[in-house]
Every structure is written in structure tokens, then in C-alpha cells.
Amino acid sequence: MKKVAIPVTNDQLSEFFGTCNHYKVFEIEKKVLRSYVLEIPTETDIMELPGWLKEKGVTDVITFRVNRKIISLFASRKVNLFVGVPLGNPKHLIDKYLEGRLESDKRIIAEITQTEY
């Protein structure tokens, strides 16, 4: 089973990972959405969030922007990170994820990796 977390602000993907009201954590089994729960972070330090999400069983995170330093924290915990995903409704984004149609904005990837677009 996979658990996919999406940081949410005002019922939309939050613009910045770690600055959200809550996370919607979708439980997926064999490419079928089973359920979702709302998780409110207990951690206030953004650098602690990858560990907190891992403790919740999260396997994947969909986000728009993220601090470069956090990427290695997710990698060390074996949590997949989908970065640069256009802002949108979490249910719409999880549907795209399930269909294999989740796309990243190349400008955001270049911004995070500090490479030319």
C-alpha cells in the first residue's frame, strides 16, 4: 500500500512545502484510492517534517516548491518526492497521480536545482 501526502492550504496544493494548514494523506492499494485522512503537523521545524511524514507511513509526497535541503531528507527516508506539480485541487492531483499523468513544471525544477531552464 502507498500513502501519498499533499500539503494543503485553502483546499489547494500549498505553494510551499511546509507552509500548509494540513496534509491530505491518500491511501492507495494496487492503483485504487482507498481512503484519505487529514494530518496536521505536530512539528514546527520544516526540517523535521520529512521524518514526521515517514512516521505516518507516507511513501510519496506531491508538492509545488520545496527547500533544496529537504530533498535529501526525503531521499534518506526512501520517500518519493514529486516536485513542481502545478497548484490544484488535491483530489484532482491524486487522480493524475493514479493515471500516471502527474507532471512537473520545469521552471520550478530548475529553480530548486539552480540550473538553467
Side-chain angles (χ1 to χ4, degrees):
M1 178 172 22
K2 289 187 174 210
K3 286 189 175 183
V4 182
I6 299 178
V8 178
T9 301
N10 299 325
D11 291 324
Q12 295 290 309
L13 173 64
S14 183
E15 187 171 348
F16 295 98
F17 173 81
T19 59
C20 61
N21 301 98
H22 61 274
Y23 292 84
K24 279 193 175 179
V25 179
F26 295 87
E27 294 185 6
I28 298 167
E29 188 172 351
K30 297 181 183 176
K31 294 194 176 197
V32 175
L33 178 61
R34 295 292 178 202
S35 64
Y36 77 89
V37 296
L38 300 181
E39 293 286 357
I40 298 172
T42 55
E43 302 297 331
T44 55
D45 182 357
I46 193 168
M47 301 305 273
E48 301 295 325
L49 288 172
W52 176 77
L53 287 168
K54 182 66 177 183
E55 287 174 11
K56 298 289 181 189
V58 169
T59 58
D60 301 81
V61 174
I62 296 172
T63 190
F64 183 64
R65 281 193 171 92
V66 66
N67 181 317
R68 269 186 328 153
K69 297 175 185 174
I70 290 181
I71 294 171
S72 63
L73 295 175
F74 279 113
S76 70
R77 289 169 173 83
K78 295 181 174 45
V79 174
N80 299 311
L81 192 58
F82 296 86
V83 178
V85 176
L87 302 178
N89 177 280
K91 177 63 171 88
H92 179 72
L93 295 174
I94 205 69
D95 288 343
K96 283 187 165 188
Y97 172 88
L98 289 169
E99 295 165 0
R101 296 187 311 117
L102 202 58
E103 295 183 15
S104 295
D105 183 326
K106 292 177 183 169
R107 291 174 297 162
I108 300 301
I109 300 298
E111 175 186 303
I112 293 167
T113 59
Q114 296 182 342
T115 58
E116 286 190 33
Y117 170 63

